[in-house]
């Protein structure tokens, strides 16, 4: 049956109009063309120095522009214009070519973090390496000259270029302070902006001033001075990113609170990887298991003692364990906890045999405590549980430490991570169709002990160890405390998807 509107009016329904978009293959097909900053529905002509619409005809619009009188005039002017190489390459003297070689070598060493002292040795052998080159014979850049080229010339040029870009377009700031104890503390300031040359979002170094008293007032003053002396307006700052310390993120007396007096519309983007690490730490503390102390104690025992390491190798061979280096756990290295736990589990039998037979097991409290922990099947159960429970947290951190732009994935991945942890603790039906921040996960809403996620290896070990019922109850209560603490920290600190500045408000994430 025909639609009533069609019958009465006698006109067919209008088709949805789709606009054409720029295609990358046109760059090679049309030498005068490149992608426009206006959007995908426009193209930029290098000869006419203008943007034109391609939304209606696509490639046909490009051909029509090529036939236009304006384009032909631009093409004619381009034919009579002298190339830049006429002024640089053809008229370059031998002295200019030597300078060019010295600058290129200095840039290469700076890019690859090669010491300045390398230039002294290279300067001595470059003429021998290329005996037929007049440029190599006149090459004379040692440590001092290379230092001045990089710091006095190249650095200044790049800094002026970055300042010019920040003065003309939006950018964001990323900051962090070093934690040196015996030397000056340095405050690193980076910019994040769109690079028109590469058509990509890029991170650029702005400044690294010394700030030994790292309070909010001094840190803000260093930021303000870095922008002020380069003539960069606060209006162009759109976002600020740093760690989640109170001196940076506090509501009343912090760097961000002072930034908002200069730029009220700045977006406060905390470090999501740091937030995940803080949530992990809350879970470890709530479980009340000395995992970190055990990891640090094992590493310190073998560190800087070749004799102990050599004796330990015999236990590794005896227990048929893998010869892998014991890793140092560092709380500020976000991905080190899971790796250290897995490494200790890989060599658990060898470590247990070593410490239980150690000559100092009766005299040294530290050795005796480590031997006791490694003998305890409950401690090993905790290690096995954490090796499984920490994987989604570690995978999330790895994904967002990528050099590429990941902001478009943040909301989806945050919701996925929270759902995954919730699914370890409560039934799946309690999550479906409910906004994540409204999901109940406390006592009375959780899975039974046998249904809690603790990892297949953990369950297998608990069955083989034949733990008493009271020990199993304690283990499952610890598992619940870990998940509850992690979820509580995530909900309180994760940015709300709807309002990046307000982690307290409920976001639109729902489990469907």
């Amino acid at each position: 049956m025909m639609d009533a509107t069609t019958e009465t009016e006698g006109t067919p329904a209008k088709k949805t109009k789709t606009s054409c978009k720029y295609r990358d293959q046109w760059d090679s097909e049309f030498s005068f063309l490149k992608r426009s900053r206006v959007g995908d529905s426009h193209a930029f002509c290098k000869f006419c120095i203008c943007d034109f619409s391609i939304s209606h005809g696509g490639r046909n619009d490009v051909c029509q522009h090529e036939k236009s009188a304006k384009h032909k005039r631009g093409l004619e002017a381009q034919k009579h214009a002298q190339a830049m190489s006429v002024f640089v390459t053809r008229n370059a003297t031998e002295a200019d070519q030597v300078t060019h070689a010295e600058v290129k070598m200095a840039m290469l060493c700076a890019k690859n973090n090669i010491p300045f002292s390398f230039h002294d040795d290279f300067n001595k052998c470059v003429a021998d390496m290329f005996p037929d080159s007049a440029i190599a014979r006149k090459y004379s850049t040692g440590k001092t000259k290379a230092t001045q080229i990089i710091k006095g010339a190249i650095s200044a040029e790049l800094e002026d270029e970055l300042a010019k870009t920040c003065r003309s377009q939006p950018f964001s700031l990323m900051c962090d302070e070093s934690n040196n104890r015996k030397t000056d503390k340095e405050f690193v300031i980076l910019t994040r902006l769109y690079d028109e040359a590469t058509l990509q979002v890029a991170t650029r170094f702005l400044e690294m001033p010394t700030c030994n008293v790292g309070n909010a007032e001094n840190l803000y003053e260093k930021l303000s001075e870095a922008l002020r002396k380069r003539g960069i307006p606060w209006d162009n700052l759109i976002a600020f990113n740093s760690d989640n310390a109170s001196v940076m993120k506090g509501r009343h007396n912090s760097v961000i609170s002072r930034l908002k007096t200069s730029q009220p519309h700045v977006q406060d983007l905390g470090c999501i990887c740091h937030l995940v690490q803080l949530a992990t730490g809350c879970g470890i503390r709530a479980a009340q298991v000395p995992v970190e102390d055990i990891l640090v104690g094992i590493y310190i025992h073998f560190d800087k003692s070749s004799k102990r390491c050599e004796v330990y190798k015999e236990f590794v061979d005896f227990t048929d364990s893998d010869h892998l280096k014991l890793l140092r756990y560092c709380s500020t290295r976000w991905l080190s906890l899971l790796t250290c736990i897995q490494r200790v589990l890989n060599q658990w039998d060898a470590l247990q045999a070593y410490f239980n037979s150690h000559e100092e097991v009766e005299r040294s409290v530290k050795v005796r405590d480590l031997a006791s922990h490694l003998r305890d099947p409950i401690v090993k159960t905790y290690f096995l549980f954490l090796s499984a429970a920490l994987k989604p947290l570690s995978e999330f951190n790895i994904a967002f430490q990528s050099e590429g732009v990941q902001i478009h994935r943040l909301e989806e991945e945050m919701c996925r991570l929270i759902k995954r942890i919730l699914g370890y603790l409560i039934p799946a039906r309690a999550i479906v169709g409910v906004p994540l921040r409204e999901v109940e996960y406390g006592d009375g809403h959780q899975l039974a002990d046998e249904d809690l996620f603790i990892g297949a290896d953990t369950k297998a070990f608990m069955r083989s160890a034949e733990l008493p019922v009271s020990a199993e109850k304690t283990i499952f209560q610890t598992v619940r405390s870990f998940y509850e603490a992690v979820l509580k920290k995530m909900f309180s600190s994760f940015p709300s998807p709807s309002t990046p500045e307000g982690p307290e408000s409920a976001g639109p994430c729902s489990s469907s």
Side-chain angles (χ1 to χ4, degrees), residues 132-200:
D132 58 341
S133 172
I135 297 174
R137 288 195 297 270
K138 294 186 177 181
Y139 184 95
S140 60
T141 298
K143 173 183 175 180
T144 303
K145 186 174 181 181
T147 302
Q148 293 304 315
I149 291 175
I150 294 171
K151 292 186 175 181
I154 299 175
S155 175
E157 180 68 21
L158 294 176
E159 184 177 334
D160 290 344
E161 182 181 336
L162 176 60
K164 182 179 178 181
T165 304
C166 292
R167 287 194 294 265
S168 61
Q169 70 179 55
F171 68 94
S172 61
L173 286 175
M174 298 188 297
C175 303
D176 196 13
E177 188 182 13
S178 68
N179 55 1
N180 297 332
R181 296 181 179 180
K182 297 182 180 180
T183 59
D184 289 336
K185 291 186 177 182
E186 294 168 329
F187 185 48
V188 183
I189 306 174
L190 305 177
T191 60
R192 186 86 165 161
L193 45 77
Y194 175 74
D195 189 348
E196 189 175 354
T198 60
L199 301 179
Q200 292 181 340

Side-chain angles (χ1 to χ4, degrees), residues 287 345 380-390 453-455 458 475 478-480 482-483:
L345 283 172
K380 186 174 182 180
T381 304
Y382 289 143
F383 269 72
L384 289 168
F385 160 68
L386 289 174
S387 70
L390 292 178
F453 175 80
I454 59 175
T458 313
I475 290 172
T478 301
V479 169
R480 296 178 191 277
F482 174 84
Y483 287 141

Side-chain angles (χ1 to χ4, degrees), residues 20 30 32 60 77 89 116 134 140 160 173 181 217 225 229 239 289 294 297 348 384 397 408 413 438 446 482 502:
C20 300
F30 302 99
F32 59 86
N60 185 56
T89 306
F116 290 136
S140 60
D160 290 344
L173 286 175
R181 296 181 179 180
E217 182 180 358
E225 182 183 355
K229 68 184 182 182
V289 180
I294 295 172
W348 191 277
L384 289 168
N397 249 346
H408 59 285
E413 293 299 328
E438 297 178 12
Q446 299 175 1
F482 174 84

Side-chain angles (χ1 to χ4, degrees), residues 210-246:
T210 299
C211 187
N212 290 323
V213 182
N215 55 36
E217 182 180 358
N218 291 343
L219 293 175
Y220 170 75
E221 190 57 37
K222 294 295 181 182
L223 271 176
S224 181
E225 182 183 355
L227 299 185
R228 183 171 58 249
K229 68 184 182 182
R230 291 171 176 82
I232 301 174
W234 284 108
D235 293 340
N236 287 357
L237 178 64
I238 58 175
F240 176 74
N241 195 2
S242 68
D243 60 18
N244 301 283
S246 59

